[in-house]
Amino acid sequence: MCEKRLAGKNALVTGGSRGIGRAICLRLAQEGAHVAINYASNEDAAKEVLALIEADGGSGSLLPFDVANTSQVKEKISAFVKEKGPIQILVNNAGITRDGLLARMKEQDWDQVLSVNLKGAFNCVQACARDMMKARWGRIINIGSVVGTSGNPGQANYAAAKAGLEGFTKSVAKEMATRGITANVVAPGFIETDMTAVLPDKVKERLLGEIPLGRMGQAHEVAAAVSFLASEDASYITGHTLHVNGGLVCQ
Ligand code: NAI
């Protein structure tokens, strides 16, 4: 059992019903935060995460919305705040891929990936920032990707969104530092989740060969980095990208 270093804090994790988001929800709840589990459509999976949190003695709420829908984000977050109080820790984890080579990439695939992965984070930060500024304390953690740094063939849309998230985070960090708010990116490498389960075996083998630690990462290893950045231990770290990639890309 982890130390309860986030006791008394409300945390919102977008895309919290599965994969990395699910692991982040469980970890922040173990550390004492009340966790708002956001999900777009999979209510059963989100309920399962909440049940696990509660079985472990923690507390959480379900908070469905589409991160790309600005008015829905505002409405749902403000309803949560009215009931449970302000959100102090925001983890923008929701993300999608629509891979394809640039020459054939559909405009819709570009737009969707940018809307969810980048505008989604903007929407949630805007909806939470005012309360954080008032409280003069806040933690914003955006889940980037190693490909935001390295680029990747077939992922021009996704890499652009993740690189954009880094520029966004650094700007937010500089704008909000005087209000006691930190903003950082956690950039996972190749993590075992549903998102990577769909990759062809050949691609997986090639990637594994490029990882100095010789294995895929686990969602809980990303969650550990997030919980550190959310904690008081990371109070002097802002505008940073923390890579969790087994050495795949060394920064
Ligand atoms: P996943 O596909 O298992 O989970 C993504 C979650 O985001 C899902 O719960 C999904 O429902 C949710 N989501 C998608 N669109 C949404 C929307 N419009 N509104 C609200 N929620 C939405 O993926 P995984 O692997 O857990 O990824 C989590 C984050 O980590 C993503 O941002 C992804 O880009 C990033 N990442 C993952 C890596 C990996 O190897 N799995 C590597 C690098 C980054």
Side-chain angles (χ1 to χ4, degrees):
M1 183 70 180
C2 306
E3 186 193 334
K4 303 264 182 205
R5 60 183 175 178
L6 303 178
K9 302 274 198 287
N10 285 332
L12 165 61
V13 182
T14 66
S17 64
R18 68 179 210 191
I20 293 171
R22 177 183 195 267
I24 296 169
C25 288
L26 298 177
R27 178 68 191 249
L28 298 186
Q30 273 176 6
E31 299 201 23
H34 176 91
V35 179
I37 307 158
N38 161 256
Y39 62 97
S41 56
N42 196 344
E43 187 174 38
D44 288 346
K47 279 183 173 163
E48 199 185 301
V49 178
L50 181 57
L52 284 170
I53 287 174
E54 289 174 344
D56 199 30
S59 77
S61 313
L62 299 179
L63 194 52
F65 59 78
D66 172 358
V67 296
N69 183 328
T70 309
S71 56
Q72 208 181 86
V73 169
K74 280 187 188 154
E75 190 188 305
K76 295 290 180 135
I77 290 182
S78 88
F80 172 87
V81 170
K82 262 188 203 140
E83 201 191 323
K84 303 277 183 193
I87 290 161
Q88 290 100 346
I89 300 165
L90 168 64
V91 184
N92 286 304
N93 163 80
I96 57 166
T97 51
R98 296 286 182 272
D99 296 352
L101 293 174
L102 181 71
R104 287 197 294 268
M105 187 173 284
K106 294 191 193 96
E107 183 185 355
Q108 196 190 346
D109 290 342
W110 174 272
D111 288 345
Q112 272 187 358
V113 167
L114 270 287
S115 290
V116 174
N117 297 24
L118 186 54
K119 188 179 171 196
F122 161 77
N123 284 339
C124 294
V125 169
Q126 260 206 339
C128 296
R130 194 186 297 259
D131 283 334
M132 289 182 183
M133 290 195 287
K134 245 194 253 165
R136 305 191 85 78
W137 198 94
R139 294 283 190 269
I140 296 166
I141 298 147
N142 297 323
I143 306 301
S145 167
V146 65
V147 308
T149 300
S150 64
N152 200 24
Q155 289 199 308
N157 48 1
Y158 182 75
K162 295 299 192 182
L165 207 49
E166 292 197 29
F168 170 66
T169 306
K170 288 174 188 168
S171 304
V172 169
K174 289 189 173 181
E175 264 185 50
M176 299 194 172
T178 57
R179 310 295 188 100
I181 299 165
T182 67
N184 292 289
V185 169
V186 169
F190 188 30
I191 311 296
E192 220 172 316
T193 68
D194 293 345
M195 189 181 263
T196 48
V198 297
L199 291 174
D201 286 347
K202 257 192 176 170
V203 175
K204 281 191 195 167
E205 271 168 38
R206 181 180 52 77
L207 273 167
L208 276 174
E210 290 172 15
I211 301 171
L213 283 178
R215 63 172 178 87
M216 290 177 81
Q218 299 299 315
H220 70 85
E221 294 174 304
V222 180
V226 171
S227 85
F228 164 64
L229 288 172
S231 77
E232 217 43 69
D233 289 340
S235 52
Y236 202 55
I237 300 173
T238 197
H240 182 69
T241 297
L242 179 50
H243 288 269
V244 183
N245 66 25
L248 178 59
V249 169
C250 295
Q251 278 298 298

